[in-house]
């Protein structure tokens, strides 16, 4: 599933073309994604203008001049393709939006999703705090509100292990399975540790590791393991930087002991049983 760096990569690519762009055509080729696309989306979006896109957790939000917000959720296997020339519809292309940028160039933005676990929605900006996908999201990883005090208060109320808690979108928005393993390895914290046992120094290390890893991944286009491609069609190269995820039985880069893999909440979790305590 695309996580924060992959979504941010898409958002950055969109920001180069959509700001002040006129929406000239929308093709909805399939309505039945994870939730059905509203029948009114095409009429409500055509002849509007996009504003600067932003990311919230794993969601792309593109405001419009008419005070609506286009939400794009990539789900498990979704990707956005940006092309400057018309091309034929490919398998699993579900929505295509044609825009004319402020410098009069035409672009085609296509949502492709083999597993159809993503979603596209349009709603008024006043509804953003009540939207069912957004209303329970926690703090953003790069927000100053993500600090030791914030996490200590939340950790006191939870009985989960730290791996599960990092992936809890109501705590920190945007972190998924790949980056949770990488963050905990960098912070030297065992994924099974109860959040109640974490000391202030360890929580600070987790916050620092979170920001460092996410920034580094964004800078190289995210992680391509299966479905993720940058909107240009290029791979995300952070897979070359992964230190524990997918490294079962390979030597830890720090202590040379074999990397372990376990299952936590039905998700494969990679860690070094020697370095992470």
């Amino acid at each position: 599933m695309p996580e924060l760096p992959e979504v941010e990569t898409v958002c950055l690519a969109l920001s180069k073309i959509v700001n002040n762009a006129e929406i000239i055509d929308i093709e909805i080729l399939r309505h039945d994604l994870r939730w059905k696309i509203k029948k009114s989306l095409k009429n409500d979006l055509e002849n509007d203008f996009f504003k600067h896109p932003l990311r919230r957790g794993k969601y792309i939000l593109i405001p419009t001049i008419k005070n609506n917000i286009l939400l794009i959720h990539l789900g498990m296997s979704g990707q956005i393709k940006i092309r400057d020339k018309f091309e034929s519809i490919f398998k699993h292309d579900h929505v295509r939006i044609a825009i004319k940028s402020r410098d009069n160039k035409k672009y085609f933005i296509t949502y492709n999703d083999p597993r159809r676990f993503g979603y596209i929605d349009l709603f008024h900006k006043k509804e953003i705090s009540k939207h069912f996908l957004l209303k329970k999201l926690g703090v953003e990883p790069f927000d100053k509100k993500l600090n030791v005090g914030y996490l200590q208060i939340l950790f006191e109320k939870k009985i989960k292990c730290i791996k599960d808690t990092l992936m809890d979108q109501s705590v920190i928005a945007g972190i998924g399975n790949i980056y949770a393993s990488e963050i905990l390895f960098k912070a030297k914290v065992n994924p099974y540790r109860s959040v109640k046992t974490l000391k202030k120094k360890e929580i600070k290390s987790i916050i620092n590791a979170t920001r460092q890893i996410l920034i580094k991944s964004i800078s190289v286009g995210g992680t391509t393991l299966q479905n993720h491609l940058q909107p240009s069609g290029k791979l995300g190269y952070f897979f070359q930087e992964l230190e524990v995820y997918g490294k079962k039985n390979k030597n830890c880069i720090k202590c040379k002991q074999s990397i372990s893999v376990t299952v936590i909440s039905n998700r494969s979790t990679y860690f070094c049983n020697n370095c992470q305590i």
Side-chain angles (χ1 to χ4, degrees):
M1 174 186 286
E3 301 179 31
L4 186 151
E6 292 74 50
V7 177
E8 182 69 16
T9 296
V10 175
C11 202
L12 290 171
L14 287 169
S15 69
K16 296 177 181 178
I17 63 167
V18 303
N19 196 26
N20 294 323
E22 181 182 4
I23 304 161
I24 56 179
D25 187 38
I26 300 102
E27 297 175 83
I28 302 177
L29 306 160
R30 187 156 190 168
H31 284 265
D32 57 335
L33 301 181
R34 185 172 186 179
W35 299 279
K36 284 191 176 182
I37 298 175
K38 295 172 183 173
K39 293 181 180 180
S40 60
L41 186 142
K42 177 178 172 64
N43 289 335
D44 290 344
L45 200 54
E46 276 183 343
N47 302 316
D48 201 348
F49 286 78
F50 282 135
K51 296 165 72 174
H52 196 276
L54 59 144
R55 178 196 52 75
R56 181 72 174 102
K58 300 178 185 179
Y59 305 100
I60 299 164
L61 305 176
I62 313 178
T64 77
I65 296 296
K66 293 182 181 179
N67 290 323
N68 289 319
I69 295 176
L70 179 70
L71 177 148
I72 302 173
H73 176 37
L74 299 177
M76 298 291 290
S77 59
Q79 59 179 276
I80 294 293
K81 299 185 289 184
I82 297 175
R83 303 291 184 265
D84 58 6
K85 294 179 181 178
F86 181 86
E87 61 180 26
S88 299
I89 294 295
F90 287 86
K91 188 177 182 180
H92 307 307
D93 286 349
H94 304 313
V95 177
R96 179 161 63 185
I97 301 173
I99 64 171
K100 184 167 66 175
S101 67
R102 56 187 173 185
D103 56 359
N104 281 325
K105 292 182 179 179
K106 195 170 183 179
Y107 293 94
F108 299 91
I109 301 166
T110 303
Y111 176 75
N112 179 285
D113 188 355
R115 298 179 69 178
R116 291 188 287 115
F117 229 66
Y119 184 50
I120 291 179
D121 194 15
L122 187 72
F123 57 92
H124 194 276
K125 69 176 185 179
K126 291 181 180 179
E127 301 171 14
I128 188 168
S129 62
K130 299 178 181 179
H131 194 280
F132 76 102
L133 291 175
L134 306 174
K135 63 183 179 180
K136 294 183 180 180
L137 291 180
V139 69
E140 288 288 326
F142 303 119
D143 195 314
K144 291 181 180 180
K145 293 178 182 177
L146 178 58
N147 53 49
V148 174
Y150 166 82
L151 289 181
Q152 282 181 318
I153 291 172
L154 290 179
F155 288 175
E156 288 175 359
K157 304 174 184 177
K158 293 186 176 293
I159 58 174
K160 291 182 178 181
C161 67
I162 183 58
K163 168 71 186 315
D164 269 348
T165 304
L166 274 181
M167 294 177 61
D168 183 342
Q169 300 303 296
S170 69
V171 177
I172 305 174
I175 298 173
N177 195 43
I178 295 173
Y179 295 102
S181 287
E182 293 294 309
I183 288 165
L184 292 175
F185 178 71
K186 190 172 185 65
K188 300 179 181 180
V189 175
N190 191 288
Y192 278 112
R193 284 278 299 278
S194 166
V195 293
K196 289 181 179 292
T197 70
L198 294 173
K199 299 175 182 177
K200 184 176 180 179
K201 184 178 179 180
E202 292 172 317
I203 296 174
K204 188 175 182 180
S205 293
I206 290 170
I207 293 171
N208 290 337
T210 296
R211 289 173 174 153
Q212 291 169 19
I213 286 172
L214 295 180
I215 288 171
K216 190 171 184 180
S217 182
I218 291 167
S219 72
V220 293
T223 302
T224 296
L225 293 180
Q226 292 181 326
N227 300 105
H228 171 66
L229 292 175
Q230 298 182 59
S232 63
K234 293 182 179 178
L235 300 175
Y237 290 101
F238 192 71
F239 71 91
Q240 297 175 342
E241 307 289 338
L242 295 174
E243 295 183 333
V244 286
Y245 188 88
K247 307 291 184 180
K248 180 182 177 181
N249 295 329
K250 293 187 178 180
N251 291 339
C252 171
I253 63 170
K254 296 177 180 177
C255 73
K256 306 306 179 184
Q257 180 171 303
S258 292
I259 296 296
S260 300
V261 61
T262 188
V263 177
I264 298 177
S265 296
N266 297 317
R267 304 303 300 274
S268 295
T269 302
Y270 298 85
F271 66 105
C272 175
N273 209 30
N274 184 48
C275 293
Q276 294 172 254
I277 58 175

